[in-house]
Amino acid sequence: MTSTPVRPRRRRGRPDGPPPSQRTPNYRQLRNPFPTMDVFSGDEIANMHETALRTLEDLGLRVLLPEARRIFAQAGARVDDATEMVYLGRDIVAAALTTAPRKFECIAGAPHRDIHMALGALTFQPGAGAPNCTDLKRGRRPGSGRDFRELIQLTQHFDVFQMVSPLVEPQDIPTHLRHYFTVEAQLTLTDKFPFFFSRGTPQAMDSFEMLKDFRGLSDDAFAQNPHCYTIINTNSPRTLDIPMAQGLIDFARARQLSIITPFTLMGAMAPITVAGAITLSHAEVLGALTLTQLAQPGAPVCYGTFTSNVDMKSGAPAFGTPAHFQASLAAGQMARFLGLPWRSAAGSASNLNDVQAANENQMGLWGCLLAGASVVIHSAGWLEGGLSVSYEKLITDVEVLNMIAELCAGANAGPAEIGFDALAEVAPSGHFFATAQTMARYNTEFYEPIVHDYTNFGTWTERGSVDATHRATAVWQAILDADERPEVDPAKVEALQGFISKRTKEGGAPPES
Amino acid sequence: MTSTPVRPRRRRGRPDGPPPSQRTPNYRQLRNPFPTMDVFSGDEIANMHETALRTLEDLGLRVLLPEARRIFAQAGARVDDATEMVYLGRDIVAAALTTAPRKFECIAGAPHRDIHMALGALTFQPGAGAPNCTDLKRGRRPGSGRDFRELIQLTQHFDVFQMVSPLVEPQDIPTHLRHYFTVEAQLTLTDKFPFFFSRGTPQAMDSFEMLKDFRGLSDDAFAQNPHCYTIINTNSPRTLDIPMAQGLIDFARARQLSIITPFTLMGAMAPITVAGAITLSHAEVLGALTLTQLAQPGAPVCYGTFTSNVDMKSGAPAFGTPAHFQASLAAGQMARFLGLPWRSAAGSASNLNDVQAANENQMGLWGCLLAGASVVIHSAGWLEGGLSVSYEKLITDVEVLNMIAELCAGANAGPAEIGFDALAEVAPSGHFFATAQTMARYNTEFYEPIVHDYTNFGTWTERGSVDATHRATAVWQAILDADERPEVDPAKVEALQGFISKRTKEGGAPPES
């Protein structure tokens, strides 16, 4: 399958100005160029790991799915079906850690969209899983199918999103048919690595089948590499519910990717300290990861964390805080301790796309970057601590992500860049606008923003004093108006729709709860 | 001299809620906890240094002040008075680099305000030198004496500003009296390390005298450590004007601190490449630094850079860009190559305190932090590429700086923080609100914001849907209404005012230009 090349939208030059930029950065496969930062010592990390093992052994996990408890029991874990508790010995965890792969290729709908997943890789996803969405044209509303498709198209447009996330919950689609809708949208509107929900085995099997048929994959080819991923949230503290446990097993057996992410708020469902919260989160990841490896040794998994703090005055969740930043650093140390690729998250608690939203999201983002996260979820658009996704915030956050992607490319300092000749060409107090070095590079040297505006105060005022958030409205509208789509085979689309019609008539697949 | 303790403003708990936070972080002496990041190899940095030396030797600096040319000539430089050019041999530069101090103590108006200046230290200043200021109550206006004093009070209020900057130009104060006004405001409204302009020897001598008298310092004590600083901007490319050259000499002879900062825009007054622009900036710093050491060996200096790019479509300056970020990294490498403390800068080109302003400023800030800058100028409040300082942006940026300061404190992961007992205390799917660990820490564990708001969408809407920028208005107004001041000796204030009256009657001191 080929795709229509899509490039980040460029500001057009004025009619009398220079031509549009010929800069062609590649944001599709990024390596993290930032140094990793430790918040704890190596001994402290080892102590946290040891305490997590002791937690699994002595305190145990509550595992609601009988099949999962059977799998754990077969591996030698002490299981109490009456209390649904699983006490997991460290030898079982250690064995699982030997089979969890350190690196793998995630296969997308077009080869240039494939992702290498390992420590050191860097991928971004927009905000995920919000019940609501908001934009300045239509206001805040419960997420709909239309919103889901629009947000997928915005995700497709920007190369800096290497993975698709389930941006908004399409609440107007019946729950027993929702997975058909979300899989179809992802297969036809984007060629990036797709996300599938874990809401029970029937939905997972439907989704795998749709993907295999659409991509023309044999069962063997499908199992060779992950072609889709799911996100598994534990119910902290120490609980694995039925759909999540089932998802871990289903995706592992299909050799598809599970990103295992306890969502823990320090002081609420996790200890109030960074060290305690990450120790709990680590124990839960180890337990869930062990289940995947028992179900299918070698199944692809990502270590994950999403740990921030609550405001102790009100109990409200907070994001982009110092504690959130330190939790990312600590989780990164744990992931490196294990050698596994891992995901972290940015995000904001703000209720609109304002300065707080920008500052929290970028602060959280830098925590992820310095923690060496392989996948950064909620990196754009996420407001209200995940209760809504903003179209405008998605655009203004992409500006930041694009700049990070530019930094991944580094810079050169060879003789041509140091350029003694250029220095010699300009007299004291002169200017470099017309040097040979400038003329050769003026059209390619600098990143050009999608929404940031460099006009001076007078011109900006004459043009209506429009702030970045309101300018972002025009950006997302133009992208949706253009309706760019990846090339798809009409016969495959027809077959996909036929499958959905058939399964719909058969009653669909209600979600597991 | 003692000072009234000032703490970052806290949100008050609800009347029926828990008591206000007892958290007492110390933001006054920070060490940079972030790993430094390189953009160029060691060989490339050495080549840039070599090219800078060749630039000084072969291309030369234009030095407009005859006294400075004489000083360079006496040291053996080739000087052409007709063209005002100075060709500076690398041996002279090398000698200067041996006497420039690697570390020194900056003495403020109270001992707890003193700053250790060296590589690894971290200090913040608010935005500096803007001709205009703006706030949501009074709009955008030319800077006035009242604005200058108000902004000094806001600077004093927040411990995270360890240095005072000349935030706004008090344009309603006559230029021959302006230094009296700005020095008096700094001595009486803040006890932090003050900034003095370099606008000719008479103004510098007045300023030093006012400071010495007010602080009760003998000439020897004054010369023992820097008690004030100035900022020296070269006129790039390769020009040192009269007031700047005079400032370098005056401050060096008085053993006060010069922060030497070429302000260069890639593609305009500097080469279009990061490597070229930093090579030029480095050459200019070396030339200016050499003048200080020739005037007074051992005089305290900071290496400095402020290099960003222009938008090549319009020629407008841009800030917080990838090129700005990389320039900070490269300058940090040069400063470490020399072993000198150094300053870098954040900032924004936005015309109001919006998402662009927040994102640009924070992006630029992270460039400074990962570059290991000892001093970060324009870290709060700076809009329009320096043409205005915003009261609201100063507040919202302080939120970010406070969070950085919190990260400087690190986190603990001893047995009490890892807390197996706390984990054991909570059943699966339970909560940690009432564990012993939480109860012991809930009032001190987390940073509490000054302007970020964690209320949910419903409550926030009921309260009027106020964004962060508008909430910031209430914050700065409350600080100015409280009118907190450091303790000062009334007799010293009277003597200071007497000096100013006398010098005003004598005609003041017109600025050098």
Side-chain angles (χ1 to χ4, degrees), chain B residues 314-370:
Chain B
S314 63
F319 298 94
T321 63
H324 178 188
F325 193 106
Q326 291 174 326
S328 292
L329 297 184
Q333 290 187 263
M334 301 308 284
R336 288 194 294 281
F337 182 83
L338 303 181
L340 295 177
W342 76 289
R343 76 138 244 181
S344 191
S348 168
S350 184
N351 289 296
L352 79 170
N353 187 32
D354 67 348
V355 165
Q356 173 181 346
N359 275 334
E360 287 181 336
N361 206 77
Q362 196 180 148
M363 182 67 67
L365 178 65
W366 281 103
C368 299
L369 294 171
L370 296 181

Side-chain angles (χ1 to χ4, degrees), chain B residues 141-421:
Chain B
R141 57 200 182 267
S144 70
R146 176 179 168 172
D147 299 321
F148 185 90
R149 290 176 62 91
E150 286 181 352
L151 290 165
I152 292 290
Q153 288 200 280
L154 294 179
T155 303
Q156 170 69 5
H157 180 79
F158 293 107
D159 276 5
V160 82
F161 297 127
Q162 295 84 8
M163 302 172 82
V164 185
S165 81
L167 294 112
V168 72
E169 193 66 36
Q171 298 194 48
D172 58 342
I173 312 293
T175 55
H176 68 293
L177 305 177
R178 198 171 289 171
H179 63 294
Y180 304 124
F181 179 86
T182 56
V183 173
E184 182 194 6
Q186 290 182 80
L187 293 178
T188 58
L189 297 177
T190 173
D191 52 9
K192 297 184 180 181
F193 189 62
F195 167 89
F196 294 169
F197 287 109
S198 286
R199 292 175 174 168
T201 301
Q203 289 201 357
M205 295 304 133
D206 275 345
S207 302
F208 295 156
E209 188 170 345
M210 291 161 76
L211 175 68
K212 283 189 285 190
D213 289 349
F214 192 81
R215 300 267 202 254
L217 295 167
S218 67
D219 288 348
D220 277 357
F222 182 62
Q224 197 67 38
N225 290 98
H227 290 74
C228 60
Y229 77 102
T230 194
I231 293 179
I232 300 295
N233 298 128
T234 54
N235 290 43
S236 301
R238 293 192 289 120
T239 303
L240 197 52
D241 71 16
I242 288 174
M244 293 292 103
Q246 192 67 65
L248 288 165
I249 296 168
D250 291 338
F251 275 70
R253 286 181 177 153
R255 291 185 168 272
Q256 302 304 302
L257 174 60
S258 286
I259 299 183
I260 303 169
T261 309
F263 175 53
T264 53
L265 290 167
M266 292 175 249
M269 64 276 250
I272 193 167
T273 61
V274 171
I278 293 298
T279 299
L280 173 65
S281 175
H282 185 67
E284 294 177 358
V285 176
L286 290 178
L289 178 150
T290 298
L291 180 58
T292 66
Q293 300 304 307
L294 293 174
Q296 178 62 59
V301 287
C302 261
Y303 186 94
T305 191
F306 192 3
T307 297
S308 190
N309 61 290
V310 294
D311 172 19
M312 293 310 288
K313 294 259 189 290
S314 63
F319 298 94
T321 63
H324 178 188
F325 193 106
Q326 291 174 326
S328 292
L329 297 184
Q333 290 187 263
M334 301 308 284
R336 288 194 294 281
F337 182 83
L338 303 181
L340 295 177
W342 76 289
R343 76 138 244 181
S344 191
S348 168
S350 184
N351 289 296
L352 79 170
N353 187 32
D354 67 348
V355 165
Q356 173 181 346
N359 275 334
E360 287 181 336
N361 206 77
Q362 196 180 148
M363 182 67 67
L365 178 65
W366 281 103
C368 299
L369 294 171
L370 296 181
S374 321
V375 181
V376 183
I377 301 192
H378 310 318
S379 64
W382 211 66
L383 287 179
E384 302 176 41
L387 295 181
S388 74
V389 162
S390 155
Y391 283 56
E392 282 84 16
K393 183 164 174 55
L394 190 142
I395 299 299
T396 56
D397 287 338
V398 162
E399 192 85 279
V400 173
L401 299 180
N402 280 354
M403 292 200 276
I404 298 298
E406 294 281 336
L407 292 173
C408 292
N412 295 317
E417 286 81 21
I418 297 178
F420 180 80
D421 292 346

Side-chain angles (χ1 to χ4, degrees), chain B residues 24-88:
Chain B
T24 54
N26 181 1
Y27 297 167
R28 291 170 183 173
Q29 281 89 25
L30 302 179
R31 298 279 305 168
N32 187 335
F34 303 102
T36 52
M37 177 174 176
D38 291 343
V39 63
F40 298 133
S41 71
D43 283 351
E44 288 169 332
I45 292 296
N47 288 343
M48 289 164 66
H49 179 67
E50 170 62 30
T51 304
L53 293 175
R54 186 179 162 204
T55 298
L56 291 172
E57 276 180 335
D58 295 354
L59 304 180
L61 289 183
R62 186 160 171 245
V63 178
L64 305 192
L65 182 73
E67 183 188 5
R69 292 200 298 276
R70 277 197 299 278
I71 291 172
F72 279 124
Q74 279 163 10
R78 181 161 59 89
V79 171
D80 182 339
D81 278 325
T83 59
E84 302 173 309
M85 292 301 292
V86 172
Y87 302 90
L88 194 56

